[in-house]
Coordinates of all heavy atoms in Angstrom, one line a residue:
G1 N 0.8 -1.2 0.0 CA 0.0 0.0 0.0 C 0.9 1.3 0.0 O 2.1 1.2 -0.2
D2 N 0.3 2.4 0.2 CA 1.0 3.6 0.2 C 2.0 3.6 1.4 O 1.7 3.3 2.5 CB 0.0 4.8 0.4 CG -0.8 5.1 -0.8 OD1 -0.5 4.7 -1.9 OD2 -1.9 5.7 -0.6
G3 N 3.2 4.0 1.1 CA 4.3 4.0 2.1 C 4.8 2.7 2.5 O 5.6 2.6 3.5
Q4 N 4.4 1.7 1.8 CA 4.9 0.3 2.1 C 5.8 -0.2 0.9 O 5.9 0.3 -0.1 CB 3.7 -0.6 2.3 CG 2.8 -0.4 3.4 CD 1.7 -1.4 3.5 OE1 1.2 -1.9 2.6 NE2 1.3 -1.6 4.8
V5 N 6.5 -1.3 1.3 CA 7.4 -2.0 0.4 C 7.2 -3.4 0.4 O 6.9 -4.0 1.5 CB 8.9 -1.6 0.6 CG1 9.2 -0.2 0.4 CG2 9.3 -2.1 2.0
L6 N 7.5 -4.1 -0.7 CA 7.4 -5.5 -0.8 C 8.9 -6.1 -0.5 O 9.9 -5.6 -1.0 CB 7.0 -6.0 -2.2 CG 6.9 -7.5 -2.4 CD1 5.8 -8.1 -1.6 CD2 6.8 -7.8 -3.9
L7 N 9.0 -7.1 0.5 CA 10.2 -7.6 0.8 C 10.2 -9.1 0.5 O 9.3 -9.9 0.9 CB 10.4 -7.4 2.3 CG 10.6 -5.9 2.8 CD1 10.7 -5.9 4.3 CD2 11.7 -5.2 2.2
K8 N 11.3 -9.6 0.0 CA 11.6 -11.0 -0.1 C 12.1 -11.5 1.3 O 13.0 -10.9 1.8 CB 12.6 -11.4 -1.2 CG 12.9 -12.8 -1.3 CD 14.0 -13.1 -2.4 CE 14.3 -14.5 -2.5 NZ 15.3 -14.9 -3.5
V9 N 11.4 -12.5 1.8 CA 11.8 -12.9 3.2 C 13.1 -13.8 3.1 O 13.0 -14.9 2.5 CB 10.7 -13.6 3.9 CG1 11.0 -14.1 5.2 CG2 9.4 -12.8 4.0
R10 N 14.1 -13.3 3.7 CA 15.4 -14.2 3.8 C 15.3 -15.0 5.0 O 15.9 -16.1 5.0 CB 16.6 -13.3 3.8 CG 16.7 -12.4 2.5 CD 17.9 -11.4 2.6 NE 19.1 -12.0 2.7 CZ 20.1 -12.0 1.7 NH1 19.9 -11.4 0.6 NH2 21.3 -12.6 1.9
A11 N 14.8 -14.6 6.1 CA 14.6 -15.3 7.3 C 13.5 -14.6 8.2 O 13.4 -13.4 8.2 CB 15.9 -15.4 8.1
A12 N 12.8 -15.4 8.9 CA 11.7 -14.9 9.8 C 11.8 -15.5 11.2 O 11.7 -16.7 11.4 CB 10.3 -15.2 9.2
N13 N 12.0 -14.7 12.1 CA 12.1 -15.1 13.5 C 10.8 -15.3 14.2 O 9.8 -14.6 13.9 CB 12.9 -14.1 14.3 CG 13.1 -14.5 15.8 OD1 13.4 -15.6 16.1 ND2 12.8 -13.4 16.7
I14 N 10.7 -16.4 15.0 CA 9.4 -16.7 15.7 C 9.5 -16.1 17.0 O 10.3 -16.2 17.8 CB 9.2 -18.2 15.8 CG1 9.2 -19.0 14.5 CG2 7.9 -18.5 16.6 CD1 9.2 -20.4 14.6
N15 N 8.4 -15.3 17.3 CA 8.3 -14.6 18.5 C 7.0 -15.1 19.3 O 6.1 -15.6 18.6 CB 8.1 -13.1 18.4 CG 9.4 -12.4 18.0 OD1 10.2 -12.0 18.9 ND2 9.7 -12.2 16.7
F16 N 7.0 -14.9 20.6 CA 5.9 -15.4 21.3 C 4.6 -14.7 20.9 O 3.5 -15.3 20.9 CB 6.0 -15.3 22.9 CG 5.1 -16.1 23.7 CD1 5.2 -17.5 23.7 CD2 4.1 -15.5 24.5 CE1 4.4 -18.3 24.4 CE2 3.4 -16.3 25.2 CZ 3.4 -17.6 25.2
P17 N 4.6 -13.4 20.6 CA 3.4 -12.8 20.0 C 2.7 -13.5 18.8 O 1.5 -13.5 18.6 CB 3.8 -11.3 19.7 CG 4.9 -11.1 20.7 CD 5.6 -12.4 20.8
D18 N 3.6 -14.2 18.0 CA 3.1 -14.9 16.9 C 2.2 -16.1 17.4 O 1.1 -16.4 16.8 CB 4.2 -15.5 16.0 CG 5.1 -14.5 15.4 OD1 4.5 -13.5 14.8 OD2 6.3 -14.5 15.4
V19 N 2.6 -16.7 18.5 CA 1.8 -17.8 19.1 C 0.5 -17.2 19.6 O -0.5 -17.8 19.3 CB 2.6 -18.4 20.3 CG1 1.8 -19.5 20.9 CG2 3.9 -19.0 19.7
L20 N 0.6 -16.1 20.3 CA -0.6 -15.5 21.0 C -1.6 -15.0 19.9 O -2.8 -15.2 20.0 CB -0.2 -14.4 21.8 CG 0.6 -14.7 23.1 CD1 0.9 -13.5 23.9 CD2 -0.2 -15.7 24.0
M21 N -1.0 -14.4 18.8 CA -1.9 -14.0 17.8 C -2.6 -15.2 17.1 O -3.9 -15.1 16.7 CB -1.2 -13.2 16.7 CG -1.1 -11.7 17.0 SD -0.4 -10.8 15.7 CE 1.3 -11.0 15.9
T22 N -1.9 -16.3 16.9 CA -2.5 -17.5 16.3 C -3.6 -18.0 17.2 O -4.7 -18.4 16.7 CB -1.5 -18.6 16.1 OG1 -0.4 -18.1 15.2 CG2 -2.1 -19.8 15.5
R23 N -3.4 -17.9 18.5 CA -4.4 -18.3 19.4 C -5.6 -17.3 19.6 O -6.6 -17.6 20.3 CB -3.8 -18.6 20.9 CG -2.9 -19.8 20.8 CD -2.1 -19.8 22.2 NE -1.3 -21.0 22.3 CZ -0.3 -21.2 23.2 NH1 -0.1 -20.2 24.1 NH2 0.4 -22.3 23.2
G24 N -5.4 -16.1 19.1 CA -6.3 -15.0 19.3 C -6.3 -14.4 20.7 O -7.2 -13.8 21.1
Q25 N -5.1 -14.5 21.3 CA -5.0 -13.9 22.7 C -4.0 -12.7 22.8 O -3.8 -12.3 23.9 CB -4.3 -15.0 23.5 CG -5.2 -16.3 23.6 CD -4.5 -17.4 24.4 OE1 -3.4 -17.4 24.6 NE2 -5.3 -18.4 24.8
Y26 N -3.6 -12.2 21.7 CA -2.7 -11.0 21.7 C -3.5 -9.7 21.6 O -4.7 -9.7 21.1 CB -1.7 -11.1 20.5 CG -0.5 -10.2 20.6 CD1 0.3 -10.3 21.8 CD2 -0.2 -9.3 19.7 CE1 1.4 -9.5 21.9 CE2 1.0 -8.5 19.7 CZ 1.7 -8.6 20.9 OH 2.8 -7.7 21.0
Q27 N -2.9 -8.7 22.1 CA -3.6 -7.3 22.1 C -3.9 -6.9 20.6 O -4.8 -6.1 20.4 CB -2.9 -6.2 22.8 CG -1.4 -6.0 22.4 CD -0.5 -6.7 23.3 OE1 -0.7 -7.8 23.8 NE2 0.7 -6.0 23.6
V28 N -3.1 -7.3 19.7 CA -3.3 -7.0 18.3 C -4.0 -8.3 17.6 O -3.4 -9.4 17.7 CB -2.0 -6.7 17.5 CG1 -2.2 -6.6 16.1 CG2 -1.3 -5.5 18.1
R29 N -5.1 -8.1 17.1 CA -5.8 -9.2 16.4 C -6.1 -8.9 15.0 O -7.2 -8.3 14.7 CB -7.1 -9.4 17.2 CG -6.9 -9.9 18.7 CD -8.2 -10.4 19.4 NE -8.0 -10.8 20.7 CZ -8.8 -11.4 21.5 NH1 -10.1 -11.6 21.0 NH2 -8.6 -11.8 22.7
P30 N -5.2 -9.4 14.1 CA -5.4 -9.1 12.7 C -6.6 -9.9 12.2 O -7.0 -11.0 12.7 CB -4.1 -9.6 12.0 CG -3.6 -10.7 13.0 CD -4.0 -10.1 14.4
P31 N -7.4 -9.4 11.2 CA -8.5 -10.1 10.7 C -8.1 -11.4 10.0 O -7.0 -11.5 9.4 CB -9.1 -9.1 9.6 CG -7.9 -8.2 9.3 CD -7.1 -8.1 10.5
L32 N -9.0 -12.3 10.2 CA -8.8 -13.7 9.6 C -9.2 -13.6 8.1 O -10.1 -13.0 7.7 CB -9.6 -14.7 10.3 CG -9.3 -15.0 11.8 CD1 -10.3 -15.8 12.4 CD2 -7.9 -15.6 12.0
P33 N -8.4 -14.4 7.2 CA -7.2 -15.1 7.5 C -5.9 -14.1 7.5 O -6.0 -13.0 6.9 CB -7.1 -16.0 6.3 CG -7.7 -15.3 5.2 CD -8.9 -14.5 5.8

């Protein structure tokens, strides 16, 4: 979108918020999917 860039992912670190978001328990709740 505006002000954004496309990035090729070279490596992605797993953080505990990723777990919580998947469970729907994090303060940030992105729309599904």
Side-chain angles (χ1 to χ4, degrees):
D2 292 340
Q4 295 182 326
V5 294
L6 180 69
L7 298 173
K8 179 180 180 181
V9 178
R10 297 173 67 111
N13 179 44
I14 300 172
N15 285 272
F16 199 67
D18 295 313
V19 178
L20 295 178
M21 274 190 278
T22 300
R23 293 172 175 167
Q25 297 174 346
Y26 197 55
Q27 56 259 39
V28 176
R29 297 192 179 188
L32 298 169

